[in-house]
Structures are given as structure tokens and as C-alpha cells.
Amino acid sequence: MKIDLEVSLDPTLGCGQAHRWHKSDDGSWEGVWRDSIIIMRQLTAGSVEVLGTDDRRGITRYLGADDDLGEIISKISEADAYVAKLAENCPGMRILRQDHWECLATYVLATNANVARIGKMVESVCDHFGKDLGGKHAFPTPKQILDGCDCIGECKLGFREQRFITLAERVESGDIDVEAFAEMDYDTCVKELQGINGVGPKVADCVALFAFEHMEAFPIDARISKVMENIYGITGSYKTVSEYGRAKFGKYSGYAQEFLYHADFIEI
């Protein structure tokens, strides 16, 4: 089906927000969304083709259609000329609306790992525990992980293994209500997320931004730390750098962070 939306698939699916999308030689993107194998292809700057699902509303929302991109770009561009230039040269990049459980579990695996390593771990977990979709597997539920956890060692998660199992146990038992985070304000959300083993400030901010729609989150990793120092002269603790970003860019700080994260790949 054709979806009319100002979205650029390359930066949106390829900038490290989600880890199950892979670009094919023909320029299309293949991945798994919910229980479907999806292929997306850029048609024009304002439209994409989506194969593998008939859920127009769901996949359109996943692509960030609820965001007023014009307003967002205007606000963060007013705040900073460098980000304005990045946004101008990377039109259509959106923040995905990821599944709450999948995003939280994925970012627990993402601790101290690069994008390629995260992707391998996520695919291994899906292949071992997720529903077989025919060539690919869905992201597993907590129960599916616990039912098959005797083979968790085969996923090669390293020190993340027990954290991952414990998270599944706590969610399956009801000790953690993943959906409850969606009802919290930003400060409460990141505080409560950090009560989960394996979730520090950066992971909490990533999950708050990519799963729970807190667009004011400003995650800091090594790449963003370098950008913040080189461009703005800001160094210090996670809190210091993140709060600077949030104060500078306001309620759409997460979008500014994505442009800054992607800066090395944007020609300006």
C-alpha cells in the first residue's frame, strides 16, 4: 500500500533508533514490525510503499505520523543554527513509535554495545524465542523468553543475559507494568525506568523517547558527548550534558538529538 507521509526512510530506519531494519541492495528496507515481515520503499519525498501489512493506521503511526514535523523543525531550528542546517539537509527524518515492551527489552541489551552488536543480539533473541514468521521471527513476549530460557546462553548476550531474563520475569509476573510508563510524565518515567536492573540514565532516556513519546528526552552516548563538546563546548556528567540539551532545544529535544547523532552522515 502507498502511504502519503513526509518521511525519509534512510535516516529514520537507519540511524539506530530501532535495530531490526536492514537496507536491501535495491534501496528498500526490510524488517519486522509486530508479527509481520515488512518491506518499505521510498517512492517520493512525501510517500512510501509498504508491503506486508494492511494496518495502514498502525504502520503510519509507527513512522511518526502523529508528529507535526514542520513545527518540530521550526522550533529546534530557532534554538540553534547548526541543528537548523542539519535538519535542512536531512528532511523527513522522524522518530519511530516503537512497541513498549520490545523497545525496553532491546535497550536493556544495548548497554555497552555498538549498533551492529545490538542488532545481532536482538536477532538472536528473536530467532531463539520469537514466533516464526517464515524466514524471520517476531520479537518474543516475556513468556516466550521464560519458556525457552534454558538455551539463553546460545544468544551470546554476555553480562546482559541475567538482566534480560530478570526483566522478562518481572514483566510476566506483573511486578513491572510496561504500559504504566506511558502514563507518566518525563521525570517520573525516567526515574522509574532506572529502577530496572540494566537501565541507567542513557537507556532510560532512549526508552522514554523511542517508546513512551517523551520528545524532551536527550539521550547522551559517546557520539553525542563528542558532538556536544565539539559544537557547544559542553562537557561533564551525563546529567550536565543532557540537561543542557533539554534546556537548549525544549520540548522537541529528542529530535535535535537525532539530528546531532546523525550529523556525520549529513552533508552541510
Side-chain angles (χ1 to χ4, degrees):
M1 64 181 167
K2 177 185 176 185
I3 293 177
D4 294 319
L5 178 68
E6 181 191 355
V7 60
S8 180
L9 295 180
D10 283 358
T12 300
L13 300 179
C15 67
Q17 299 181 55
H19 298 86
R20 303 208 65 194
W21 293 101
H22 306 281
K23 192 173 184 180
S24 303
D25 291 340
D26 65 1
S28 65
W29 286 85
E30 183 177 11
V32 177
W33 175 71
R34 295 182 179 171
D35 285 347
S36 299
I37 299 173
I38 304 294
I39 295 176
M40 297 196 207
R41 184 175 289 106
Q42 194 83 46
L43 298 177
T44 68
S47 65
V48 296
E49 179 184 38
V50 179
L51 305 175
T53 181
D54 295 325
D55 187 355
R56 177 182 297 274
R57 181 177 180 181
I59 198 70
T60 302
R61 188 175 190 281
Y62 174 76
L63 288 171
D66 291 346
D67 291 341
D68 185 338
L69 203 57
E71 178 190 359
I72 291 169
I73 299 305
S74 175
K75 291 294 185 184
I76 62 176
S77 295
E78 289 174 7
D80 182 70
Y82 180 64
V83 166
K85 198 66 175 176
L86 292 174
E88 179 183 350
N89 287 275
C90 187
M93 183 168 70
R94 290 180 177 269
I95 290 179
L96 299 170
R97 295 288 195 272
Q98 297 184 43
D99 173 82
H100 296 167
W101 154 249
E102 180 175 343
C103 186
L104 173 58
T106 294
Y107 275 91
V108 165
L109 296 178
T111 307
N112 295 330
N114 59 33
V115 171
R117 174 84 171 102
I118 298 165
K120 288 180 181 179
M121 288 189 288
V122 170
E123 288 304 323
S124 183
V125 163
C126 293
D127 289 345
H128 278 81
F129 308 117
K131 177 183 176 182
D132 188 349
L133 305 176
K136 292 182 180 294
H137 292 75
F139 195 87
T141 64
K143 185 176 188 304
Q144 287 172 325
I145 293 167
L146 297 175
D147 286 347
C149 68
D150 288 347
C151 68
I152 190 73
E154 297 175 12
C155 296
K156 299 180 179 179
L157 306 182
F159 68 86
R160 307 163 192 84
E161 180 180 300
Q162 189 54 54
R163 295 175 178 180
F164 190 69
I165 294 173
T166 299
L167 175 64
E169 289 173 341
R170 293 186 66 190
V171 172
E172 180 62 19
S173 71
D175 183 41
I176 294 175
D177 179 359
V178 176
E179 298 309 311
F181 294 110
E183 306 302 319
M184 301 175 187
D185 61 30
Y186 166 75
D187 289 324
T188 304
C189 182
V190 294
K191 179 181 178 181
E192 293 298 318
L193 283 169
Q194 288 181 70
I196 299 171
N197 188 24
V199 178
K202 179 224 170 184
V203 169
D205 269 332
C206 286
V207 176
L209 177 60
F210 300 136
F212 298 115
E213 304 180 35
H214 288 296
M215 295 298 150
E216 67 267 49
F218 196 83
I220 305 296
D221 64 359
R223 182 183 296 187
I224 291 295
S225 292
K226 183 178 179 181
V227 171
M228 297 301 286
E229 180 177 3
N230 291 345
I231 302 299
Y232 306 108
I234 299 300
T235 60
S237 66
Y238 184 99
K239 181 179 180 182
T240 296
V241 181
S242 182
E243 286 186 351
Y244 176 90
R246 292 180 60 216
K248 184 173 184 64
F249 296 107
K251 64 180 180 178
Y252 300 125
S253 294
Y255 264 91
Q257 191 268 7
E258 282 300 294
F259 283 113
L260 292 169
Y261 184 87
H262 210 55
D264 289 346
F265 306 98
I266 302 174
E267 296 183 8
I268 59 174

